[in-house]
Amino acid sequence: MNRRPPSAWTTLRRSRALLAVGAGAGPWKRGRVLAVAALLLGLLLPLHASIPNGVGNLGSLVETFLPWFGLLIPVLLAGALLRRSLLAGAALLLPAVVWLLLFGGLLADKSRQGGDLTVVSHNVGADNPDAAGTARALAAAGADVLALEELDPADRRTYERELATAYPHHTVLGTVGVWSRLPLSDTRPVDVAMDAGPLGDAKPAEVKLAYNRGLRTTVATDHGPLAVYVAHLGSVRVNPRAGLSTGQRDAGARLLGRAVAAERNERVVLLGDLNGTLDDRAYAGITSRMRSAQEVAGDGFGFSWPATFPVVRIDQILVRGVEPESSWLLPATGSDHLPVAARVSW
């Protein structure tokens, strides 16, 4: 007996039923791949320090952009909704909770009124096309202590001229400097590993000073001396073969951490372009002894680079022995970095 072939509609229904069975029909069985991805993300966020740096400095690369991994949560959520997967939705609770524990506090405005001293740090950029305009904008910000990094020797006199009225005291060592309304003393260079190795050791001090990128000075305040460190650590390079290159920066961070640890003054402020975020393990020697003004008293993440579309905060203000009351970003200048500011109290 001949049978009639199934209709197209019947064939479609059977195919969908077979697919549903193959994929696991229930909402607690669908989306297993999404659930695994969510769990891995939830583990990566708190355990980022365990990611090895042996291959292309992968650990530091992940830590540099760690907050942005939160963007994967809504992507995975969209996939879970599309798959109608309760399993994936439940698994997403882990990375969501972990991200909020790590970074949720940065979303609130923690700034307070008051403060005794305003500090500003700015990588002014060696290729800044408007050094004079940058200097005037910084002077108008009203900081008591102003730290500048990446000072081009050709522009140094421009900054000195434009800032002279607002700041009667200043010191420059190489490509970093401090301008202050208050007297400065005991200024000296700080080694941040820009000339490590036998070749660097063989260079005369005056030659090395020309491109020095770290200094320490004392600001005489009404509440006593304040040690101020300014640093511009080595740049991070991306090599297609070797991956992220952070050796020079990491060496500078270690030396800077030792200098801060040896500082006898109980009140310390560190300003500068550290060329990395404070989530990076390279700064453990610094962050174990100092607090970020942005994390304690800022509003949001305070991303400072690149100025046109900031995605990371590599310009830092860290303190010890003083209390951050507020932390904020200043408007863009001719530099590729945004200036960062903070107000501290005793």
Side-chain angles (χ1 to χ4, degrees):
M1 181 173 63
N2 294 331
R3 293 186 179 182
R4 296 177 60 187
S7 66
W9 175 248
T10 302
T11 303
L12 179 60
R13 283 191 302 172
R14 289 176 179 175
S15 299
R16 292 179 61 184
L18 288 172
L19 288 173
V21 170
W28 289 101
K29 294 183 179 179
R30 291 192 295 264
R32 293 177 181 176
V33 173
L34 291 170
V36 170
L39 292 175
L40 289 176
L41 178 60
L43 292 173
L44 177 146
L45 290 170
L47 301 177
H48 58 84
S50 300
I51 301 174
N53 256 343
V55 180
N57 282 306
L58 180 62
S60 285
L61 181 61
V62 169
E63 289 166 337
T64 297
F65 298 100
L66 195 62
W68 290 98
F69 279 81
L71 292 179
L72 294 176
I73 297 173
V75 173
L76 291 173
L77 178 60
L81 293 174
L82 187 64
R83 294 282 289 121
R84 298 180 181 179
S85 171
L86 291 177
L87 178 65
L92 277 169
L93 289 175
L94 176 63
V97 170
V98 171
W99 191 93
L100 287 173
L101 288 174
L102 290 175
F103 304 111
L106 293 173
L107 301 179
D109 184 357
K110 300 176 293 298
S111 62
R112 301 179 293 269
Q113 296 296 320
D116 300 305
L117 193 79
T118 300
V119 295
V120 167
S121 177
H122 190 28
N123 179 326
V124 294
D127 298 323
N128 191 327
D130 186 17
T134 297
R136 288 192 293 269
L138 293 171
D144 298 296
V145 177
L146 170 65
L148 302 185
E149 304 89 46
E150 206 171 293
L151 283 165
D152 186 273
D155 293 329
R156 174 175 170 174
R157 290 188 178 182
T158 299
Y159 287 103
E160 289 175 332
R161 182 183 66 251
E162 297 294 337
L163 296 171
T165 301
Y167 299 100
H169 310 280
H170 87 280
T171 182
V172 176
L173 293 180
T175 63
V176 293
V178 173
W179 276 257
S180 175
R181 301 184 190 277
L182 304 168
L184 301 174
S185 63
D186 193 21
T187 301
R188 58 181 182 268
V190 174
D191 185 8
V192 291
M194 296 308 300
D195 227 345
L199 292 178
D201 294 340
K203 294 180 181 178
E206 60 271 17
V207 173
K208 296 169 71 172
L209 186 61
Y211 51 87
N212 173 75
R213 288 169 61 160
L215 69 79
R216 183 256 185 227
T217 191
T218 299
V219 178
T221 77
D222 294 339
H223 303 275
L226 174 71
V228 173
Y229 285 77
V230 181
H232 180 196
L233 298 186
S235 299
V236 173
R237 306 295 183 188
V238 178
N239 187 306
R241 293 184 178 181
L244 197 70
S245 175
T246 64
Q248 189 176 58
R249 183 207 66 179
D250 295 352
R254 287 192 293 270
L255 289 174
L256 186 58
R258 292 171 191 166
V260 170
E263 175 60 51
R264 294 186 176 183
N265 197 319
E266 63 180 17
R267 299 185 181 97
V268 185
V269 173
L270 168 59
L271 307 159
D273 173 8
L274 302 189
N275 267 313
T277 70
L278 297 183
D279 293 310
D280 196 318
R281 67 197 70 181
Y283 304 101
I286 299 172
T287 56
S288 62
R289 298 179 175 91
M290 306 190 77
R291 296 185 296 162
S292 163
Q294 182 66 24
E295 292 182 4
V296 174
D299 181 10
F301 288 93
F303 294 147
S304 63
W305 183 88
T308 52
F309 188 78
V311 296
V312 292
R313 183 180 177 90
I314 62 176
D315 302 278
Q316 311 290 352
I317 299 176
L318 296 108
V319 303
R320 186 181 79 196
V322 292
E323 187 65 27
E325 301 293 349
S326 55
S327 178
W328 65 98
L329 296 167
L330 294 175
T333 67
S335 171
D336 60 338
H337 293 246
L338 293 177
V340 295
R343 186 129 178 102
V344 300
S345 64
W346 271 250

